[in-house]
mmCIF file of all heavy atoms in Angstrom:
data_model
loop_
_atom_site.group_PDB
_atom_site.id
_atom_site.type_symbol
_atom_site.label_atom_id
_atom_site.label_comp_id
_atom_site.label_asym_id
_atom_site.label_seq_id
_atom_site.Cartn_x
_atom_site.Cartn_y
_atom_site.Cartn_z
ATOM 1 N N LEU A 184 94.886 100.964 85.040
ATOM 2 C CA LEU A 184 95.708 101.729 84.062
ATOM 3 C C LEU A 184 95.049 101.821 82.694
ATOM 4 O O LEU A 184 94.996 102.898 82.104
ATOM 5 C CB LEU A 184 97.098 101.043 83.950
ATOM 6 C CG LEU A 184 98.096 101.735 83.025
ATOM 7 C CD1 LEU A 184 98.350 103.140 83.408
ATOM 8 C CD2 LEU A 184 99.396 100.926 83.003
ATOM 9 N N VAL A 187 92.321 104.368 82.917
ATOM 10 C CA VAL A 187 92.858 105.735 82.932
ATOM 11 C C VAL A 187 93.281 106.162 81.533
ATOM 12 O O VAL A 187 93.044 107.313 81.128
ATOM 13 C CB VAL A 187 94.079 105.783 83.915
ATOM 14 C CG1 VAL A 187 94.909 107.015 83.685
ATOM 15 C CG2 VAL A 187 93.587 105.697 85.380
ATOM 16 N N GLN A 188 93.838 105.231 80.784
ATOM 17 C CA GLN A 188 94.289 105.587 79.439
ATOM 18 C C GLN A 188 93.104 105.789 78.438
ATOM 19 O O GLN A 188 93.222 106.498 77.457
ATOM 20 C CB GLN A 188 95.222 104.506 78.878
ATOM 21 C CG GLN A 188 96.594 104.604 79.630
ATOM 22 C CD GLN A 188 97.519 103.476 79.297
ATOM 23 O OE1 GLN A 188 97.100 102.355 79.026
ATOM 24 N NE2 GLN A 188 98.822 103.786 79.299
ATOM 25 N N LYS A 189 91.949 105.161 78.787
ATOM 26 C CA LYS A 189 90.740 105.347 77.932
ATOM 27 C C LYS A 189 90.032 106.680 78.237
ATOM 28 O O LYS A 189 89.250 107.159 77.439
ATOM 29 C CB LYS A 189 89.773 104.214 78.199
ATOM 30 C CG LYS A 189 90.050 102.902 77.517
ATOM 31 C CD LYS A 189 88.791 102.045 77.647
ATOM 32 C CE LYS A 189 89.106 100.579 77.793
ATOM 33 N NZ LYS A 189 87.959 99.807 78.287
ATOM 34 N N ALA A 190 90.284 107.205 79.410
ATOM 35 C CA ALA A 190 89.511 108.332 79.903
ATOM 36 C C ALA A 190 89.719 109.624 79.075
ATOM 37 O O ALA A 190 90.866 109.876 78.649
ATOM 38 C CB ALA A 190 89.854 108.626 81.367
ATOM 39 N N ASP A 191 88.661 110.380 78.880
ATOM 40 C CA ASP A 191 88.869 111.784 78.378
ATOM 41 C C ASP A 191 88.906 112.739 79.543
ATOM 42 O O ASP A 191 89.317 113.901 79.395
ATOM 43 C CB ASP A 191 87.854 112.160 77.303
ATOM 44 C CG ASP A 191 86.438 112.018 77.692
ATOM 45 O OD1 ASP A 191 86.154 111.683 78.896
ATOM 46 O OD2 ASP A 191 85.520 112.266 76.850
ATOM 47 N N LEU A 192 88.438 112.292 80.719
ATOM 48 C CA LEU A 192 88.542 113.123 81.952
ATOM 49 C C LEU A 192 88.842 112.188 83.131
ATOM 50 O O LEU A 192 88.104 111.236 83.363
ATOM 51 C CB LEU A 192 87.233 113.848 82.170
ATOM 52 C CG LEU A 192 87.141 114.736 83.434
ATOM 53 C CD1 LEU A 192 87.999 115.928 83.284
ATOM 54 C CD2 LEU A 192 85.693 115.191 83.688
ATOM 55 N N LEU A 193 89.937 112.479 83.806
ATOM 56 C CA LEU A 193 90.232 111.757 85.045
ATOM 57 C C LEU A 193 89.935 112.681 86.206
ATOM 58 O O LEU A 193 90.485 113.803 86.297
ATOM 59 C CB LEU A 193 91.715 111.295 85.075
ATOM 60 C CG LEU A 193 92.088 110.521 86.382
ATOM 61 C CD1 LEU A 193 91.391 109.194 86.459
ATOM 62 C CD2 LEU A 193 93.605 110.338 86.446
ATOM 63 N N GLN A 207 100.769 106.985 90.675
ATOM 64 C CA GLN A 207 101.331 107.174 89.349
ATOM 65 C C GLN A 207 100.274 107.303 88.251
ATOM 66 O O GLN A 207 100.541 107.807 87.173
ATOM 67 C CB GLN A 207 102.228 105.945 88.957
ATOM 68 C CG GLN A 207 103.345 105.665 89.944
ATOM 69 C CD GLN A 207 104.309 106.792 89.988
ATOM 70 O OE1 GLN A 207 104.912 107.188 88.973
ATOM 71 N NE2 GLN A 207 104.518 107.374 91.157
ATOM 72 N N LEU A 208 99.037 106.820 88.555
ATOM 73 C CA LEU A 208 98.021 106.720 87.500
ATOM 74 C C LEU A 208 97.726 108.050 86.772
ATOM 75 O O LEU A 208 97.619 108.033 85.579
ATOM 76 C CB LEU A 208 96.724 106.120 88.114
ATOM 77 C CG LEU A 208 96.794 104.650 88.452
ATOM 78 C CD1 LEU A 208 95.478 104.188 89.123
ATOM 79 C CD2 LEU A 208 97.064 103.784 87.217
ATOM 80 N N PRO A 209 97.621 109.182 87.478
ATOM 81 C CA PRO A 209 97.294 110.413 86.728
ATOM 82 C C PRO A 209 98.347 110.776 85.629
ATOM 83 O O PRO A 209 97.993 111.419 84.685
ATOM 84 C CB PRO A 209 97.264 111.497 87.824
ATOM 85 C CG PRO A 209 96.879 110.757 89.058
ATOM 86 C CD PRO A 209 97.623 109.417 88.942
ATOM 87 N N SER A 210 99.544 110.302 85.782
ATOM 88 C CA SER A 210 100.528 110.641 84.766
ATOM 89 C C SER A 210 100.335 109.813 83.458
ATOM 90 O O SER A 210 101.039 110.050 82.489
ATOM 91 C CB SER A 210 101.966 110.404 85.319
ATOM 92 O OG SER A 210 102.169 109.046 85.601
ATOM 93 N N TYR A 211 99.396 108.847 83.487
ATOM 94 C CA TYR A 211 99.174 108.017 82.294
ATOM 95 C C TYR A 211 97.979 108.420 81.483
ATOM 96 O O TYR A 211 97.589 107.714 80.549
ATOM 97 C CB TYR A 211 99.052 106.549 82.709
ATOM 98 C CG TYR A 211 100.360 105.930 83.089
ATOM 99 C CD1 TYR A 211 100.768 105.888 84.400
ATOM 100 C CD2 TYR A 211 101.203 105.423 82.124
ATOM 101 C CE1 TYR A 211 101.995 105.323 84.780
ATOM 102 C CE2 TYR A 211 102.451 104.885 82.451
ATOM 103 C CZ TYR A 211 102.823 104.826 83.789
ATOM 104 O OH TYR A 211 104.039 104.293 84.127
ATOM 105 N N ILE A 212 97.329 109.567 81.794
ATOM 106 C CA ILE A 212 96.176 109.940 80.976
ATOM 107 C C ILE A 212 96.623 110.239 79.557
ATOM 108 O O ILE A 212 97.776 110.612 79.302
ATOM 109 C CB ILE A 212 95.404 111.136 81.575
ATOM 110 C CG1 ILE A 212 96.316 112.395 81.710
ATOM 111 C CG2 ILE A 212 94.736 110.812 82.883
ATOM 112 C CD1 ILE A 212 95.550 113.664 82.048
ATOM 113 N N SER A 213 95.734 110.041 78.596
ATOM 114 C CA SER A 213 96.102 110.226 77.187
ATOM 115 C C SER A 213 96.308 111.699 76.892
ATOM 116 O O SER A 213 95.917 112.597 77.659
ATOM 117 C CB SER A 213 95.064 109.603 76.268
ATOM 118 O OG SER A 213 93.934 110.436 76.249
ATOM 119 N N GLU A 214 96.939 111.944 75.785
ATOM 120 C CA GLU A 214 97.366 113.330 75.452
ATOM 121 C C GLU A 214 96.264 114.363 75.455
ATOM 122 O O GLU A 214 96.464 115.479 75.937
ATOM 123 C CB GLU A 214 98.034 113.263 74.049
ATOM 124 C CG GLU A 214 99.090 114.295 73.878
ATOM 125 C CD GLU A 214 99.740 114.197 72.502
ATOM 126 O OE1 GLU A 214 99.931 113.028 72.010
ATOM 127 O OE2 GLU A 214 99.966 115.231 71.890
ATOM 128 N N ASN A 215 95.122 113.924 74.992
ATOM 129 C CA ASN A 215 94.004 114.940 74.927
ATOM 130 C C ASN A 215 93.076 114.909 76.142
ATOM 131 O O ASN A 215 92.104 115.641 76.195
ATOM 132 C CB ASN A 215 93.157 114.679 73.672
ATOM 133 C CG ASN A 215 93.985 114.919 72.432
ATOM 134 O OD1 ASN A 215 94.826 115.819 72.370
ATOM 135 N ND2 ASN A 215 93.870 113.999 71.459
ATOM 136 N N ALA A 216 93.368 114.038 77.085
ATOM 137 C CA ALA A 216 92.520 113.921 78.247
ATOM 138 C C ALA A 216 92.827 115.023 79.243
ATOM 139 O O ALA A 216 93.928 115.609 79.258
ATOM 140 C CB ALA A 216 92.739 112.529 78.892
ATOM 141 N N LYS A 217 91.856 115.241 80.157
ATOM 142 C CA LYS A 217 92.012 116.321 81.160
ATOM 143 C C LYS A 217 92.006 115.708 82.549
ATOM 144 O O LYS A 217 91.281 114.750 82.808
ATOM 145 C CB LYS A 217 90.911 117.332 81.025
ATOM 146 C CG LYS A 217 90.954 118.043 79.674
ATOM 147 C CD LYS A 217 89.822 118.960 79.452
ATOM 148 C CE LYS A 217 89.971 119.701 78.147
ATOM 149 N NZ LYS A 217 89.405 118.888 76.984
ATOM 150 N N LEU A 218 92.791 116.299 83.378
ATOM 151 C CA LEU A 218 92.830 115.898 84.807
ATOM 152 C C LEU A 218 92.146 116.971 85.641
ATOM 153 O O LEU A 218 92.465 118.150 85.532
ATOM 154 C CB LEU A 218 94.301 115.750 85.222
ATOM 155 C CG LEU A 218 94.560 115.434 86.701
ATOM 156 C CD1 LEU A 218 93.984 114.052 87.103
ATOM 157 C CD2 LEU A 218 96.091 115.453 86.999
ATOM 158 N N VAL A 219 91.231 116.510 86.494
ATOM 159 C CA VAL A 219 90.585 117.442 87.466
ATOM 160 C C VAL A 219 90.832 116.884 88.859
ATOM 161 O O VAL A 219 90.648 115.696 89.134
ATOM 162 C CB VAL A 219 89.066 117.514 87.194
ATOM 163 C CG1 VAL A 219 88.354 118.254 88.363
ATOM 164 C CG2 VAL A 219 88.763 118.212 85.886
ATOM 165 N N TYR A 231 99.672 120.240 86.963
ATOM 166 C CA TYR A 231 99.498 119.421 85.746
ATOM 167 C C TYR A 231 98.051 119.341 85.352
ATOM 168 O O TYR A 231 97.650 118.952 84.274
ATOM 169 C CB TYR A 231 100.072 118.057 86.083
ATOM 170 C CG TYR A 231 100.119 116.979 85.084
ATOM 171 C CD1 TYR A 231 100.992 117.076 83.958
ATOM 172 C CD2 TYR A 231 99.347 115.835 85.239
ATOM 173 C CE1 TYR A 231 101.064 116.040 83.066
ATOM 174 C CE2 TYR A 231 99.444 114.819 84.294
ATOM 175 C CZ TYR A 231 100.252 114.937 83.204
ATOM 176 O OH TYR A 231 100.339 113.890 82.318
#
Side-chain angles (χ1 to χ4, degrees):
L184 180 57
V187 164
Q188 288 173 327
K189 280 193 214 163
D191 56 3
L192 179 70
L193 179 67
Q207 303 297 303
L208 289 175
S210 64
Y211 285 95
I212 59 170
S213 74
E214 210 179 320
N215 298 318
K217 296 175 179 85
L218 174 64
V219 170
Y231 183 69

